[in-house]
Structures are given as C-alpha cells and as structure tokens.
Amino acid sequence: MGHIVSLDAEGRLVYKGLLSSQEKATVDEILNALKSEIPEIESDLASEYGQSVWYKYNLGLFLGGLLEKYQITIAERRQFWDEIKTFATKEERKRNEGTNAVTRSFYQQCYILSCQDKEVVEKLTWRQWQDILDRVGNREDERIFVWIKNLTGKIREDDWREFEKALHLYLKEKDTSVFTDEELFSIYDSLLKMCKVWRERFKVFEAEHPKSLKIKSKGVWAKKYYACCFDIKKIQRIRIVTQEICEQAFQELMEK
C-alpha cells in the first residue's frame, strides 16, 4: 500500500516515506474516497441496525472490502484503521483505544467480527464481543467461537465479563491445543458456571453482610475466588472446576 498518512501538530497532512507526486495523488484519491464512503455507510447502517452488533458486523464486511480494494497488508491494517478514524468518520466514540492497543481499534474489531458466522455473532451483544476481542489470548484458540455458537440462550452481561476475566487467569501458561473439542468445551462450561456461582453467592453475601468491606472491593475478591477454585482443582487433580469446588472456594474466602 505505502500510503500511510497522519496529521502533524499543526493539523497538516504528513505522508509516510518519500512519495512521488503520482503516489501522493493516489493517497489523496483514497482519502477522499474514504471521506465519502465511511460516513455514508455508517449512517446507512445506523439507520437500519441502530448501534446493535449487526451494525458492527456489516460495517466489518464493508471494511473487508476496503482492505481488498486498496490492497492493505496485515502489517498496515492498524494504520489504515487510524486513517479512517482520523480522516473519514464523523462518529464520535468515547472509548479510548490507546496508541498501542491494537486490539481495541473499533474498526479492527468490526472487521474481526465480520469474519465470524452469523450464528456466532448473534449469540453475544456488542459489549460482550468487545470483551473477547480486547483479550487476544482468550480467543487465540478459535474453537471458542464454536463453543459460543453452541450456547443456548443469551449470557448475562455481568456473567460474561466475569467469564472473560476467569478465562484470562485460567489460560496463563496453558496450551489449549492439547485438549479435544469436548474437553475444551467442558472447561469453558465449567468456567462460566464458576462465574454464575460467584454472582449468585455474592448477592446473598451482600444481603447478609451489608457492612462488609469485601463488598467495596468485589473485583479483588472475585479474582481471589477464581484463583482459589483453580488451586482446589489442581489439588484434586481434575480438569474442570466443579460446583462443589465453587461452593468450597466461596465459603473459604468469604464466609470464614
């Protein structure tokens, strides 16, 4: 591609590398096309889908077409997403992507989402998709998308956020390629169950101990609970976290 551009401190267009006048003309042509196409497609999709996950999915399909049309290499994608955000879109998004947070690029995440089957996409809300797209390690084994596809019903937002945190802790220094599909899916099931037990038991704990300092640091105690579950599982030398382990971990941490 070789047409990466940015703005300097005074808002002037800066071309990356030494470009000929013809190359600069090509860059300007692409930028003008983006300025015209991106606001139009975003407006059309917002009118049809609101801000739902299908807005992002279909925007991702459109972006995939741009990657092919302008021959954007994998190495150049982040810069291309930044060009769209800086020069083309009229949407104001409050979420801070960070200068080096490649995985948090809105357009990158829309594109990745569009690469999934529709039966997978419909299982989660956009916020839930952001949780998994933010954590590259959690989706490194792509079989997680098959597991998501096979889920019955919707998953609560709070359960999903906790599942993502628990999965991140579980996957540290683990190679999931050694598991069969059945084994891996049973692990995902057990982690989701572990998070549901935490939510249910903590709700009871709040009601029974309204003055407990643990309530104000719920996130900290959630991580301790997950770690305790994993420790007990390790001691028992079993592959998955059982209901009994969840109950034992909660009791040891919160009720003693």
Side-chain angles (χ1 to χ4, degrees), residues 128-135 139 144 148 160 164:
Q128 289 171 322
W129 272 112
Q130 283 185 310
D131 286 338
I132 192 170
L133 294 173
D134 282 348
R135 296 178 184 267
R139 56 182 168 87
I144 192 170
I148 292 173
W160 182 257
E164 281 291 315

Side-chain angles (χ1 to χ4, degrees), residues 3-16 28 31 35 79 82-88:
H3 72 262
I4 306 300
V5 296
S6 59
L7 295 175
D8 64 14
E10 297 180 2
R12 295 173 298 192
L13 197 63
V14 177
Y15 300 87
K16 180 181 179 181
D28 293 341
L31 288 179
K35 289 178 182 178
Q79 289 89 343
D82 285 345
E83 287 180 9
I84 294 175
K85 184 176 69 173
T86 302
F87 301 106

Side-chain angles (χ1 to χ4, degrees), residues 81-168:
W81 308 137
D82 285 345
E83 287 180 9
I84 294 175
K85 184 176 69 173
T86 302
F87 301 106
T89 185
K90 293 182 179 179
E91 296 287 339
E92 291 187 9
R93 298 185 174 89
K94 298 180 180 179
R95 196 167 189 251
N96 181 19
E97 296 178 358
T99 56
N100 298 315
V102 177
T103 61
R104 290 176 66 87
S105 168
F106 172 76
Y107 294 107
Q108 168 81 349
Q109 292 188 340
C110 289
Y111 171 69
I112 294 174
L113 182 66
S114 72
C115 296
Q116 307 304 321
D117 293 339
K118 284 188 173 182
E119 293 82 3
V120 179
V121 175
E122 68 183 0
K123 292 292 184 176
L124 303 177
T125 65
W126 173 240
R127 181 171 179 175
Q128 289 171 322
W129 272 112
Q130 283 185 310
D131 286 338
I132 192 170
L133 294 173
D134 282 348
R135 296 178 184 267
V136 177
N138 285 13
R139 56 182 168 87
E140 188 172 7
D141 190 324
E142 294 190 355
R143 288 179 292 174
I144 192 170
F145 298 119
V146 179
W147 176 75
I148 292 173
K149 180 179 179 179
N150 293 332
L151 289 172
T152 56
K154 297 288 186 179
I155 300 177
R156 290 173 54 124
E157 294 278 358
D158 49 359
D159 284 343
W160 182 257
R161 287 195 300 273
E162 292 304 317
F163 169 78
E164 281 291 315
K165 296 174 186 176
L167 180 60
H168 179 70

Side-chain angles (χ1 to χ4, degrees), residues 12-26:
R12 295 173 298 192
L13 197 63
V14 177
Y15 300 87
K16 180 181 179 181
L18 298 175
L19 303 181
S20 66
S21 58
Q22 182 177 356
E23 288 172 326
K24 287 184 180 180
T26 301

Side-chain angles (χ1 to χ4, degrees), residues 1 66-73 76:
M1 178 183 73
L66 294 183
L67 295 180
E68 182 177 353
K69 179 179 180 180
Y70 299 130
Q71 300 180 329
I72 312 298
T73 67
E76 294 168 329

